[in-house]
Amino acid sequence: MRTQIAIIGAGPAGLLLSHLLHLEGIESVVLEARSRTDIESTIRAGVLEQGTMDILTQAGVGERMRSEGALHHGIELAFDGARHRIDLSELTGKAITVYPQHEVIKDLVAARLAAKGSVLFEVADVELHDTQTLRPRVSYRHGGEAYTLEADFIIGCDGYHGVARPAMPAQELRKNFQRIYPFGWFGILVESAPSSEELIYAQHDRGYALVSTRTPTVQRLYFQCDPSDHVDNWSDDRIWAELHARLENHDGWKLKEGHIFQKNIIGMRSFVSTPMQAGRLFLAGDAAHIVPPTGAKGLNLAVSDVQLLARGLEQFYRQGSEERLNGYSDAALKRIWRAEYFSWTMTRLLHTFADATPFEREMQRAELANIVNSRAMATALAENYVGAF
Ligand code: APR
Ligand code: PHB
């Protein structure tokens, strides 16, 4: 088999890249290890920046996002028993949409299949070959048969645990940057109406908590936990008691309870692997970088990476120039490092670090107070949050 672009992974990065290339008349094959049902039901993040909304809309896959997603014009920061609104739209002229990642996946899969795009699910044993030549290849198994796919380029969109990053050639320039945080997020999905019209990011001595939403009848709540803890240690009653304690306030607002139908614990890390290109192998999305979820940048970074790549590949096929492709890694990393900075800042600002000194805890509270009292500081947070630059 032969195609122009072999894409490993049908997450948001791989599927959107395949769709953007299709719109430019460039052919691709997407190889995905999991089943369609699995990728369409895995619960991940849910916040889309304005730029992400614009790209999905321009690519013709934004219809359900606009009708079913919820446009949010602000977020709230809660600390010391009070809630403070950051008016994203007033400060930046932009907004965010809360629309679950697996719904974005459904829309992209539907668009690829409607265009007769080639997306192979449940492939196994994916291996990359000759990536530093002009004829790279991918070998894999599908339905018990062994295949080889030849391509002009291979794009690794296979997430943090994929095979593409380990296949990048070891070279002097290759650098990995990492920070692992000493806490995780305990996430629950709850059947209830939203407790708040906007997301609430809460700082509390007992640990951080986040009130987010999925749909008018399903809510997403998180609280900081020990990353080695286990969901079985947390009864529903214990979860509610912890959330109420961290979200306590003096203005009468109360978290709505409901039936908890999913519990999970996620670890937190910041990670960047550079460069994102070697020969004919490129990385995009979680394959190249991870942000802690505070600030919800992961999906948005995946989208901006593949937009840059699609432009580079378009230039290559239209004009025969590799200029944009050669600049891809540097261009993508500029935005990635800013998002890494913001996610790290939000994480540091809102979580309780067990080893923080009393002085450091006061500095954290002073920083929060500065943000809600200074328009300049609130604007900086809002610009980063909506992805304004
Ligand atoms: N072969 C084929 N597919 C693979 C392989 C492999 N060896 N390894 C992983 N995959 C698939 C995974 O099953 C997954 O569907 O690659 C896909 C990677 O998707 P994501 O992890 O969602 O990564 P990405 O598309 O970069 O999207 C980043 O996802 O983790 C969230 O917060 C993150 O929102 C961000 C987004
Ligand atoms: C989510 O709804 O999953 C979510 C929202 C905001 C974040 C992180 C996760 O910062």
Side-chain angles (χ1 to χ4, degrees):
M1 265 220 295
R2 180 161 179 88
T3 187
Q4 288 175 299
I5 315 295
I7 299 174
I8 321 296
L15 288 168
L16 180 61
L17 177 61
S18 172
H19 185 63
L20 293 174
L21 293 175
H22 161 73
L23 296 175
E24 296 299 336
I26 301 167
E27 185 191 285
S28 65
V29 174
V30 180
L31 302 175
E32 167 58 49
R34 294 186 297 151
S35 69
R36 179 176 176 188
T37 318
D38 201 4
I39 64 163
E40 290 190 344
S41 58
T42 306
I43 303 297
R44 304 289 274 274
V47 174
L48 310 184
E49 292 174 355
Q50 181 87 50
T52 300
M53 289 149 55
D54 293 346
I55 292 169
L56 295 176
T57 298
Q58 282 155 21
V61 287
E63 201 175 308
R64 256 181 6 107
M65 168 196 78
R66 284 191 306 279
S67 63
E68 293 176 29
L71 197 62
H72 285 215
H73 295 283
I75 56 169
E76 296 197 346
L77 295 180
F79 58 97
D80 285 346
R83 292 183 298 146
H84 307 265
R85 183 161 191 265
I86 305 288
D87 191 329
L88 301 173
S89 296
E90 198 247 329
L91 293 167
T92 68
K94 294 176 190 232
I96 53 152
T97 289
V98 178
Y99 184 62
Q101 179 168 319
H102 68 275
E103 300 295 342
V104 175
I105 295 277
K106 283 187 202 165
D107 297 340
L108 288 168
V109 170
R112 288 314 298 123
L113 298 183
K116 308 243 180 305
S118 200
V119 184
L120 304 184
F121 297 103
E122 297 178 74
V123 303
D125 302 338
V126 171
E127 284 180 33
L128 315 190
H129 310 274
D130 304 333
T131 61
Q132 304 309 295
T133 72
L134 297 183
R135 304 206 58 162
R137 288 177 298 123
V138 185
S139 61
Y140 61 96
R141 298 187 72 81
H142 191 230
E145 302 276 321
Y147 295 91
T148 300
L149 176 65
E150 287 181 4
D152 297 334
F153 297 91
I154 300 176
I155 318 293
C157 297
D158 49 350
Y160 183 70
H161 299 288
V163 292
R165 192 179 64 254
M168 292 291 264
Q171 43 167 265
E172 243 175 83
L173 281 177
R174 174 138 296 283
K175 280 202 189 101
N176 288 337
F177 302 83
Q178 170 153 269
R179 164 146 201 193
I180 296 178
Y181 298 90
F183 37 72
W185 279 15
F186 197 114
I188 58 171
L189 283 170
V190 183
E191 277 168 21
S192 80
S195 293
S196 162
E197 280 180 13
E198 297 179 334
L199 272 59
I200 304 176
Y201 289 86
Q203 185 268 338
H204 192 278
D205 285 346
R206 297 181 68 90
Y208 163 81
L210 170 62
V211 178
S212 180
T213 183
R214 281 293 176 271
T215 68
T217 55
V218 174
Q219 309 315 314
R220 182 73 164 144
L221 308 173
Y222 298 97
F223 58 93
Q224 174 183 348
C225 68
D226 179 336
S228 62
D229 206 341
H230 197 275
V231 290
D232 294 343
N233 295 329
W234 288 82
S235 67
D236 293 5
D237 286 347
R238 186 178 172 210
I239 290 173
W240 290 120
E242 194 59 44
L243 281 167
H244 286 305
R246 296 187 190 190
L247 292 161
E248 66 179 358
N249 60 86
H250 311 310
D251 60 12
W253 175 86
K254 206 163 163 42
L255 182 68
K256 283 195 182 76
E257 294 189 13
H259 169 59
I260 299 175
F261 64 96
Q262 206 212 63
K263 304 177 185 177
N264 69 333
I265 292 178
I266 52 172
M268 310 255 294
R269 72 172 74 225
S270 300
F271 172 80
V272 183
S273 186
T274 67
M276 290 164 67
Q277 172 200 6
R280 289 284 173 111
L281 173 60
F282 290 73
L283 302 179
D286 277 16
H289 44 77
I290 296 288
V291 286
T294 336
K297 289 291 164 219
L299 169 62
N300 297 292
L301 280 181
V303 167
S304 60
D305 284 357
V306 299
Q307 187 189 37
L308 285 172
L309 256 182
R311 286 188 188 143
L313 290 166
E314 181 199 342
Q315 188 191 45
F316 175 83
Y317 286 108
R318 286 249 168 105
Q319 300 164 24
S321 160
E322 296 194 33
E323 197 189 327
R324 276 198 189 146
L325 281 179
N326 291 336
Y328 163 72
S329 184
D330 286 347
L333 281 164
K334 279 194 184 128
R335 183 159 199 270
I336 290 160
W337 278 119
R338 286 205 314 265
E340 290 286 347
Y341 168 76
F342 178 63
S343 308
W344 169 76
T345 304
M346 287 285 276
T347 301
R348 199 173 44 97
L349 180 69
L350 293 164
H351 290 75
T352 298
F353 287 77
D355 63 353
T357 62
F359 179 81
E360 285 164 338
R361 292 194 179 190
E362 289 305 326
M363 290 302 96
Q364 194 181 22
R365 289 147 65 101
E367 191 171 344
L368 278 162
N370 278 349
I371 289 169
V372 300
N373 287 303
S374 151
R375 190 179 167 89
M377 284 191 68
T379 305
L381 188 151
E383 284 177 344
N384 279 283
Y385 197 85
V386 301
F389 52 87

